[in-house]
Amino acid sequence: VECHRAGEIAPFALTEYDEVAGWASTMNEVVQEGRMPPWHASPEHGKFANDRALSTEEKALIAQWVRDGAPQGDPAKKPPLPTFATGWGLPRQPDLVIPMADQPYQVPATGTVRYQYFSVDPELTEDRWIQASEVIPGNRAVVHHVLVFAKAPGLAGRGGVDGFLASYVPGLRPPVYPAGMAKRLPAGSRLIFQVHYTPIGTAQEDICKLGLIFVDESEVKHEVTTTSAAQRQLRIEPERADQSFTATSRTAPTDVLLLGFMPHMHLRGQAFRYEAVLPDGKREVLLDIPHYDFNWQTGYVLAEPRRLPAGSRITCQGVFDNSAGNLNNPD
């Protein structure tokens, strides 16, 4: 079972036998129900490098261990605990660290905080190529998610998904692009931090940071871009589940290599599906999430990049549950 760094996501550390044995029946319950490890992609479509799902055999092994009374085994064979980098989940310390502001944002004790936007000038005088990136919140208790967009010189507005650079959301691991691939950050760009705060009953403060690892342009063979299929004309009816809406990406102007997906809905999200529409009209399911979970904003990384020919597009289907049967429904 995947073990997160203690204090970050998991309610316990899974490092001491007595603690693990005390949670054994609960662990078995959430594993057998598929709630842990958190992985929501249907196994019928696609293979993913970050697949956390347990096999039938692995689930059976855990169940048998619990039925046997959670025996400890031979302590002499206990493997060493993993070591984690301090502060960052990147392969090494970032080349550039950019805070969202000079002063922390004051999060009120109660109420609803609208998305906050912070504009930062990283003072880049030349294009830089990003091999890996990570956003870390200063106060995880109140930060639900952070999106960072790059707004190139001359672009109006706050920036959009097509300028997406990096993010922090529950369950997401920092992306490291394959060798020869990198994102371009144009010289003179401003960075826009979109931060979603959730008050916790006491006044808090926070300052988020973006860490970037650069690669030399001579090593870059493919430019990585993030694009979207967004549906902004939603009309979600009350007291109904299974409400489906679709959105389609722009048509690929050239052959592309598809690296991964980042589906996103909120508390009424029920299901999500990506389909490739090829130039000849054929359709292929790329990723199917039959039970969407807002608590785990997972990025799905393909085990092997999928080549899509020029003229292809991607259609997304989002399904919403606005009924009383959705226990996450806020209204």
Side-chain angles (χ1 to χ4, degrees), residues 87-111:
W88 299 92
L90 295 167
R92 60 177 175 82
Q93 290 298 307
D95 297 311
L96 180 63
V97 176
I98 306 165
M100 71 179 192
D102 295 330
Q103 299 294 327
Y105 177 74
Q106 304 300 314
V107 183
T110 59

Side-chain angles (χ1 to χ4, degrees), residues 178-226:
M181 300 186 183
K183 274 195 171 182
R184 183 173 69 94
L185 181 56
S189 294
R190 294 192 70 85
L191 301 184
I192 311 298
F193 287 71
Q194 179 205 86
V195 189
H196 179 194
Y197 289 110
T198 53
I200 59 172
T202 58
Q204 301 284 321
E205 61 180 30
D206 167 74
I207 185 164
C208 302
K209 297 179 181 180
L210 169 67
L212 300 175
I213 291 180
F214 297 130
V215 64
D216 191 84
E217 184 177 2
S218 63
E219 300 179 35
V220 179
K221 298 180 175 62
H222 298 278
E223 179 177 355
V224 176
T225 62
T226 301

Side-chain angles (χ1 to χ4, degrees), residues 118-193:
F118 305 87
S119 178
V120 181
D121 182 2
E123 301 181 353
L124 296 178
T125 58
E126 60 181 4
D127 292 0
R128 301 303 301 267
W129 291 88
I130 300 168
Q131 186 181 46
S133 61
E134 183 180 14
V135 179
I136 56 172
N139 187 343
R140 296 178 188 271
V142 292
V143 176
H144 179 266
H145 78 249
V146 184
L147 303 180
V148 181
F149 306 99
K151 187 169 70 173
L155 291 181
R158 288 173 171 168
V161 175
D162 292 334
F164 174 85
L165 192 63
S167 66
Y168 164 82
V169 287
L172 183 69
R173 294 188 168 185
V176 179
Y177 301 120
M181 300 186 183
K183 274 195 171 182
R184 183 173 69 94
L185 181 56
S189 294
R190 294 192 70 85
L191 301 184
I192 311 298
F193 287 71

Side-chain angles (χ1 to χ4, degrees), residues 1 28 31-32 54 58-67:
V1 177
N28 186 47
V31 163
Q32 303 307 326
L54 297 180
E58 289 169 327
K59 291 181 178 181
L61 184 62
I62 293 173
Q64 185 62 52
W65 173 69
V66 173
R67 285 194 296 270

Side-chain angles (χ1 to χ4, degrees), residues 30-53:
V30 298
V31 163
Q32 303 307 326
E33 292 179 354
R35 288 188 281 144
M36 284 289 164
W39 183 254
H40 304 95
S42 167
E44 297 179 12
H45 305 285
K47 295 186 181 300
F48 300 93
N50 58 332
D51 188 343
R52 296 186 289 247

